[in-house]
Structure formats: structure tokens, C-alpha cells
Amino acid sequence: MKSTILYEGRYQWIVFGRDPDKPDGIIDTNQYLVVDGKRSLLIDPGGIEIFSAMLAAVLRYTDIDHLTDLFASHQDPDIISSLGLWDQALPHAKLYAPWIWESFLRHFGLNHIEYHSIPDEGQVIRLESAELTFLPAHYLHSSGNFNVYDPVAKILMSGDIGAALEPDGAPMFVKDFDEHIPKMELFHQRWMPSNRAKQAWINRVRKLDIEYMAPQHGRIFSGENVQRFLDWFEQLEVGTGISED
Ligand SMILES: [Fe+2]
Ligand SMILES: [Fe+2]
């Protein structure tokens, strides 16, 4: 599992991905970890197939006792089907996830970890010095869905928004935005259901100071590519799976 440090200050942001041992036929995912002293938040921990690779990778940056908090942006298996295994590895941890998915996510096996429901309007949590906002991103694509925003690191972890479908081993950062568009187009048109939700999210996110927009699939946008993504997404028609006949 490859890891890259995204931010280094009083705490760290690390991205994990591009696992060469990932089984074929499952979508590649990016997992994020915020390490803040004796508290760490693992963001969208990933599918059951990558659990052992993720556990080993995370323990290079923090002790198991300091891995205290998990976050699931929504209910998809590529986000959190590993929950039952984390539940055994981290019996005292807390999971932050959308309130609407609690009775669904418990199917993954939640016997020890405490489920903390995020209300629809989102919330702010504090680790040691890091203050993180769970920002509403409902219907993009899941009907209960949050991003994670850090105003100090200027990172927006955008979940499936900004995702790209591309071959294994792709670079971690977008270099040429125009070249990247075809890799994102179908995903956003087909997986995102609502133009109205898209516009509400863009309006919310345009007010934020963002250096890195970090999705759960594909490459991370930095600097002016963040604004270019917002402009591109704004003009894109989504919800293309609807048939009128
Ligand atoms: Fe998803
Ligand atoms: Fe996803």
C-alpha cells in the first residue's frame, strides 16, 4: 500500500492507495488518515479486501491505541465493508457516519465500536489540535453523505466527488486537468443523481479555502485544479441513468 503525506503541521494528513496486491475487479480506493498525537481519524477505511494492507499501513504512522476514530462518508462497500474487521481490531473506537445509514451499516458487523450519527447539517469534531468539519454532500452520490474539511490544512476530502476511473497504479495528483476529464466524466454523470444537489454543494464549497481536494478514487486536485474541477462539475449534467420510456 502506497502512502503519501499530504499535510505536515501540528498533525499529519496521509493518503493511502494504489495497493499492488488489491484483487482484480474491485475499484481502487484512496484512504485518508489524520494523525494528531494520541488521536487519529481514519477516513473511509475501505473494503474488506484491503483491511489487512490498510491496518499494516496505518500502523506505520500511529499506534493501534491511538487509532481512536473512524469516519464513513456513506454506506458503500468500497467505503466501509471492512467495518466488521475494524470492530475486532479497535473495540474502543468511535465511528462517525451519516445517521440515515446506521441500521444499514450495522450489517457489516458492529459489536464494539460506538456508532456516532452525524446529523444532516454536519458537525465539527476536534481530535487534539485538529478541528475537522463533516460537510454535507448529500446525494453526491449517496443520499446521506459527508465530506471532511480541514480549514488549517486546507484539505477537502471529497469522497466520491472528483472520483476518476483509471488503470491501476495511476499517479496520486492531477497534473493536466484537461487530460483528466475523460476519466471523471462517466462516473459523475452516471453515479451522481441530482443537478440540484450538485449546485448546492458547489455553492457551499466555493466559500472554502482549499489547497487539496482529495477524492476517494483517482487523483488529488491541488491549487488551481480545485477551481477548475468546480467549474467543470458546475456545467456537467448529471443523473444520466434516467430513462423516460
Ligand atoms: Fe460511493
Ligand atoms: Fe467510492
Side-chain angles (χ1 to χ4, degrees):
M1 183 77 67
K2 194 176 153 187
S3 65
T4 307
I5 295 178
L6 260 189
Y7 172 78
E8 181 103 61
R10 291 180 69 181
Y11 52 91
Q12 286 180 312
W13 272 79
I14 303 126
V15 54
F16 302 92
R18 311 299 187 264
D19 181 10
D21 301 322
K22 174 182 78 61
D24 290 340
I26 61 169
I27 189 167
D28 192 30
T29 52
N30 302 325
Q31 291 68 237
Y32 296 87
L33 178 70
V34 180
V35 177
D36 187 10
K38 293 183 177 174
R39 294 278 302 273
S40 300
L41 175 73
L42 182 57
I43 297 172
D44 286 352
I48 198 164
E49 303 84 355
I50 62 161
F51 168 77
S52 45
M54 269 307 295
L55 180 61
V58 162
L59 293 181
R60 295 206 304 267
Y61 292 92
T62 188
D63 292 347
I64 192 131
D65 292 342
H66 299 164
L67 185 51
T68 49
D69 299 83
L70 304 177
F71 166 84
S73 60
H74 60 289
Q75 84 292 4
D76 269 346
D78 64 320
I79 298 282
I80 190 67
S81 64
S82 57
L83 182 59
L85 297 172
W86 289 110
D87 187 74
Q88 290 170 35
L90 308 171
H92 306 296
K94 190 187 271 191
L95 170 71
Y96 291 92
W99 72 269
I100 71 164
W101 295 124
E102 177 170 357
S103 58
F104 297 71
L105 282 171
R106 287 188 179 277
H107 282 281
F108 287 133
L110 195 65
N111 298 310
H112 306 289
I113 288 177
E114 178 194 340
Y115 192 106
H116 181 97
S117 291
I118 308 173
D120 276 344
E121 64 272 23
Q123 72 175 109
V124 176
I125 66 154
R126 193 181 175 91
L127 299 177
E128 286 195 350
S129 53
E131 234 175 47
L132 304 168
T133 301
F134 300 145
L135 192 81
H138 306 313
Y139 303 101
L140 296 170
H141 64 93
S142 171
S143 40
N145 184 47
F146 293 93
N147 294 165
V148 181
Y149 177 60
D150 179 338
V152 173
K154 300 181 182 176
I155 294 171
L156 178 70
M157 193 281 168
S158 57
D160 281 327
I161 306 166
L165 303 175
E166 54 185 327
D168 290 350
M172 280 313 300
F173 293 89
V174 174
K175 292 228 160 56
D176 183 331
F177 186 83
D178 291 329
E179 203 184 343
H180 197 59
I181 288 174
K183 296 169 187 144
M184 303 189 288
E185 207 155 34
L186 173 70
F187 186 88
H188 290 79
Q189 287 171 327
R190 184 63 182 82
W191 266 265
M192 303 288 168
S194 166
N195 289 299
R196 197 175 138 214
K198 181 193 73 163
Q199 196 57 51
W201 178 84
I202 290 169
N203 296 344
R204 189 173 305 128
V205 163
R206 281 202 193 280
K207 295 178 196 143
L208 306 177
D209 187 4
I210 301 169
E211 180 56 34
Y212 293 111
M213 189 183 116
Q216 190 234 351
H217 309 282
R219 307 186 198 192
I220 296 170
F221 303 82
S222 58
E224 63 178 25
N225 282 336
V226 176
Q227 297 310 318
R228 293 195 70 188
F229 174 81
L230 297 176
D231 293 344
W232 171 80
F233 194 32
E234 191 156 32
Q235 56 76 46
L236 188 76
E237 193 80 11
V238 303
T240 58
I242 299 168
S243 161
E244 301 293 346
D245 53 45

